Amino acid sequence: MKRALLLFLGFSAQAFGAGLSPYAHLVVSDSAASSRDGVRVTYLGTNGYQFEFKGHALLVDPYFSRVNLLNVALGSRIQPDISRVAEGMRHLAPKPDAILVTHGHFDHLIDVPILMSKTQARLIASASAVDLAKRAGASFGEAVTAGDVRRIGPWKIRVLPATHDRLFGKVPFDQHEMRGLGPPQRAADWICGEPLAFLIEVGEQRIYIDSGGTPAQLPPHERVDLAILGVALPDSRARLPGALERLEPRYILPSHQDNFFRPLDAGFQFGPLTDFSWVRRDCERANRGRLILLDYFRPWTLPMAVSPKHQEPNPKQGSNTNSHGREGEITKIH
């Protein structure tokens, strides 16, 4: 109970965090003239994403319910918010090929069984996350471990090892198996399990995505077009320079940094324990790619890599060039 109250006080003490307006020059989205040759990326909040390519879609960590912080801190029963899930689904492709889940915490998995039942998408996650999803009503799920490769439609998905960053010196709900036989009811029942990362290849583009981590487990030495890196807590921010050095991304998208206890329709707000100024500074120092941000449900198409004779602008310049779809469109935040 003491830890729960500390969690509540730590988050609520800074409940009025900044939105995206101060960083409008970093926010990208498609315009009417944008090329659709690459992978279309839609941010769903928390660490949730939809990737689309030539009529196919892939989801990662979709979470719309935005469970109340007080219910989590007090150990009360939590459950999906059906109306919020329905509203979120308005922004999704009707039949995604699969749902990838990085780990079993409620803010990554609680809505997945409902989404599976409505879309018939297959679940790809760790054994513990698949077990949780089945207990919560999912009829099936495919358990994977680091080193596995799955090919689904146009997607090649490599499963990679990952770690979870610590809160107050400990990974939250850090069990590998849920106790008891019933469905998960409290936040503590949605255990972390085995964290995973994914390297997704499609249409000559490569996307790395995780939900955070520690310097003890860095991504592989693989050049990618887009690195989506969780940066919610100090551990994950500490491993950011090392992750960028290994991935050498063309685009860097910090993730899991919004206040995920705040409803999506209230607009983006940085989480109280995040530190985007730190993230931005380290990205600039690393100079490994262009730093971008996405707003909720504002799709952006990952530009195709240009040939050596047509080099992309320096990432520090924050170009909004959209000639031939080579750069993302800068959008205004209202």
Side-chain angles (χ1 to χ4, degrees):
M1 178 63 71
K2 181 179 179 181
R3 185 176 295 274
L5 290 175
L6 285 173
L7 173 69
F8 176 75
L9 292 173
F11 275 95
S12 61
Q14 302 182 52
F16 301 101
L20 290 175
S21 295
Y23 309 105
H25 60 292
L26 298 176
V27 179
V28 295
S29 68
D30 286 341
S31 69
S34 297
S35 168
R36 298 295 191 273
D37 292 337
V39 181
R40 193 175 190 229
V41 183
T42 302
Y43 181 42
L44 310 177
T46 315
N47 198 56
Y49 293 88
Q50 175 174 259
F51 304 117
E52 297 173 274
F53 182 77
K54 294 186 176 179
H56 288 265
L58 189 68
L59 301 178
V60 178
D61 290 353
Y63 173 58
F64 304 119
S65 289
R66 313 287 273 205
V67 169
N68 182 274
L69 170 59
L70 188 59
N71 288 340
V72 173
L74 296 180
S76 303
R77 182 179 179 182
I78 62 172
Q79 57 189 359
D81 186 310
I82 302 303
S83 63
R84 290 180 178 177
V85 173
E87 178 61 25
M89 287 188 66
R90 293 179 53 249
H91 303 276
L92 301 182
K95 295 292 181 181
D97 294 319
I99 301 174
L100 311 182
V101 172
T102 58
H103 62 281
H105 285 159
F106 71 89
D107 54 315
H108 299 257
L109 187 59
I110 195 171
D111 289 343
V112 168
I114 294 177
L115 293 172
M116 292 175 65
S117 69
K118 294 184 177 298
T119 66
Q120 302 305 305
R122 61 194 283 190
L123 169 63
I124 296 177
S126 69
S128 57
V130 169
D131 175 61
L132 281 170
K134 288 182 176 179
R135 290 171 181 247
S139 58
F140 57 92
E142 184 174 350
V144 294
T145 61
D148 289 345
V149 178
R150 294 291 182 270
R151 294 181 182 272
I152 306 170
W155 316 96
K156 177 183 177 182
I157 302 162
R158 290 171 52 190
V159 184
L160 302 171
T163 53
H164 193 289
D165 30 12
R166 296 163 296 180
L167 179 64
F168 304 126
K170 181 177 172 57
V171 174
F173 314 133
D174 189 24
Q175 291 81 38
H176 292 283
E177 293 183 359
M178 180 183 164
R179 301 184 182 93
L181 299 175
Q185 298 189 33
R186 302 172 300 120
D189 295 333
W190 295 92
I191 58 174
C192 182
E194 179 189 10
L196 300 173
F198 301 99
L199 183 60
I200 301 164
E201 301 181 40
V202 64
E204 300 183 0
Q205 293 186 311
R206 293 153 60 87
I207 299 172
Y208 172 88
I209 181 167
D210 63 31
S211 66
T214 69
Q217 180 66 66
L218 294 175
H221 287 282
E222 301 267 3
R223 288 190 175 185
V224 299
D225 296 283
L226 174 63
I228 302 177
L229 298 161
V231 292
L233 297 170
D235 277 342
S236 53
R237 295 193 288 272
R239 62 97 202 222
L240 181 58
L244 295 178
E245 182 178 357
R246 286 179 172 240
L247 294 170
E248 300 184 57
R250 292 195 295 123
Y251 292 89
I252 305 162
L253 177 56
S255 187
H256 210 327
Q257 58 179 348
D258 66 332
N259 184 345
F260 58 84
F261 296 105
R262 176 183 167 95
L264 286 164
D265 59 12
F268 184 102
Q269 181 186 82
F270 283 99
L273 300 181
T274 62
D275 189 343
F276 183 66
S277 62
W278 177 314
V279 171
R280 185 179 181 186
R281 182 200 66 199
D282 278 0
C283 288
E284 290 176 349
R285 286 178 177 175
N287 195 25
R288 292 288 184 178
R290 177 181 169 188
L291 176 64
I292 62 170
L293 294 171
L294 295 181
D295 199 359
Y296 301 145
F297 308 128
R298 299 289 297 274
W300 168 74
T301 300
L302 174 61
M304 298 295 293
V306 297
S307 62
K309 67 173 67 176
H310 298 96
Q311 293 293 328
E312 295 185 14
N314 186 313
K316 290 186 177 181
Q317 294 176 350
S319 169
N320 65 347
T321 304
N322 205 34
S323 174
H324 308 297
R326 296 303 185 189
E327 286 291 327
E329 183 77 7
I330 302 293
T331 188
K332 289 184 177 180
I333 304 296
H334 298 286

